[in-house]
Amino acid sequence: MKKHFYFSRFAVFSKKVCSILGILALLAIHRPAAAQGTEDEKFSLNVLLNSDIFFGFYPSFQGKYKINEKLDFSFYGILWSGGTGSGWGNWTEFGVGVNLPVSDNLYILPQIGLLSGSLTSGLGTPVLGEGIVPNLTLGYSSEKLESELYGGYYLGFDHGNPNTNNYLHYWINGGIKLSKLISAGVHLEHLRFMGGKNHPGNASFDFYNAVGPYVKIGKPNGGVFARFIGGWDLRSTKQVEKSEYSQPSFFKLSLGYVF
C-alpha cells in the first residue's frame, strides 16, 4: 500500500511535468511572423565547464530558441555527476523555461528543473524525478558594466526514504568591463541546507557563504571566455560546527563557449 502511494504521487508529478514540457515545446515549435532571422540564428547554446571547491567538476549548458522579439524558449542542464554528484546517484539536473529580454541590456530567465539521483530524495536508491528546482536568473550587460543574480530552491520528493533534503543555492555578482578583453568584480555565493522530511525545525545550516573577487577574460567579439572566482568564508564558528564542513576559502573556475 505504501509503495502504491508513493508511485501514485510520482505519477501525478510526472503528469504535471509532462504537461509543462508539452506546453513549452508547443511554444518553441510555433513560429510567429514577428520572429526574425533564420532557424539557425534563432537558436543559441552556451556550454560551461565548471570546477569549484564544493561540487568538484560539473559541465553545464544553457540553450534558447527565439519565439519572438519578447520571448525565448529556454532549456538547461547540469551534469553534477562529474564531481561530488557521482556519489549522489549520478546526480543530474535538466530543466526548461522562458527567457524574457526586457531590454538590450537586461534579461529575466525563470526556469524549472527536474532532479534525478539520490541527494534530495534522501540518499537512497537513485531515481528519476527525485526532486525539482524552481530557479530564476537575472542578467545585465552594458558597454561598461555586467551583473548576474541566480537563485534556485532544490526541493526533494518523498520516494520512501526516511528523509528528504532541501537546499537553497544563490549567487550575485557585479563588475566593470575594463576592456573588450577583461572584466573584474565581486562575487557572493551561498549554499544552505533547508531541512526536509523528518528533519528538526532548526536543521538549517550553511555549507558555505563566500564573497570575493572575480576576473573574466573573453574573446572581444564574444564566443569563448574564462572566469575565475576566489572568496573567503563568511560563516560563524557556530555555523561551521553545525555543518561539519570546514572550508575557509572558496574558488571556482569556468570555461564557457557560445554556439
Side-chain angles (χ1 to χ4, degrees), residues 196-208:
K197 187 186 79 170
N198 287 337
H199 289 288
N202 63 345
S204 299
F205 61 83
D206 298 328
F207 277 107
Y208 63 81

Side-chain angles (χ1 to χ4, degrees), residues 92-152:
T92 303
E93 180 178 343
F94 176 72
V96 295
V98 292
N99 179 57
L100 306 170
V102 178
S103 67
D104 292 338
N105 304 120
L106 176 67
Y107 70 85
I108 302 174
L109 180 61
Q111 300 184 113
I112 185 167
L114 179 70
L115 295 170
S116 297
S118 61
L119 176 60
T120 62
S121 59
L123 292 174
T125 302
V127 290
L128 170 66
E130 67 148 358
I132 57 171
V133 191
N135 60 88
L136 177 69
T137 305
L138 303 178
Y140 177 85
S141 179
S142 67
E143 185 177 349
K144 295 295 183 181
L145 302 174
E146 63 183 15
S147 180
E148 184 178 68
L149 168 66
Y150 166 82

Side-chain angles (χ1 to χ4, degrees), residues 14 55 60 65 82 123 134 153 157 159 161 179-181 200 213 235 244 247:
S14 301
F55 292 108
S60 64
Y65 179 86
L123 292 174
Y153 192 87
F157 290 139
H159 284 274
N161 296 320
S179 70
K180 292 185 177 180
L181 180 67
R235 296 178 300 165
E244 299 181 349
Q247 185 60 57

Side-chain angles (χ1 to χ4, degrees), residues 28-184:
I29 294 171
H30 182 57
R31 303 171 185 174
Q36 302 296 319
T38 66
E39 292 301 302
D40 285 345
E41 291 173 339
K42 295 176 186 177
F43 181 88
S44 65
L45 181 68
N46 299 356
V47 176
L48 279 174
L49 302 178
N50 307 289
S51 179
D52 73 39
I53 198 169
F54 186 85
F55 292 108
F57 177 71
Y58 55 100
S60 64
F61 60 85
Q62 175 71 62
K64 64 180 181 179
Y65 179 86
K66 181 176 289 297
I67 298 173
N68 56 46
E69 294 304 318
K70 296 183 178 180
L71 182 67
D72 303 324
F73 167 74
S74 69
F75 63 96
Y76 78 98
I78 306 176
L79 289 74
W80 297 108
S81 54
T84 310
S86 61
W88 302 333
N90 206 42
W91 205 36
T92 303
E93 180 178 343
F94 176 72
V96 295
V98 292
N99 179 57
L100 306 170
V102 178
S103 67
D104 292 338
N105 304 120
L106 176 67
Y107 70 85
I108 302 174
L109 180 61
Q111 300 184 113
I112 185 167
L114 179 70
L115 295 170
S116 297
S118 61
L119 176 60
T120 62
S121 59
L123 292 174
T125 302
V127 290
L128 170 66
E130 67 148 358
I132 57 171
V133 191
N135 60 88
L136 177 69
T137 305
L138 303 178
Y140 177 85
S141 179
S142 67
E143 185 177 349
K144 295 295 183 181
L145 302 174
E146 63 183 15
S147 180
E148 184 178 68
L149 168 66
Y150 166 82
Y153 192 87
Y154 287 71
L155 177 65
F157 290 139
D158 187 348
H159 284 274
N161 296 320
N163 301 317
T164 61
N165 303 310
N166 304 328
Y167 302 87
L168 174 65
H169 187 200
Y170 70 84
W171 68 72
I172 182 170
N173 57 50
I176 300 173
K177 296 180 180 179
L178 303 174
S179 70
K180 292 185 177 180
L181 180 67
I182 300 175
S183 62

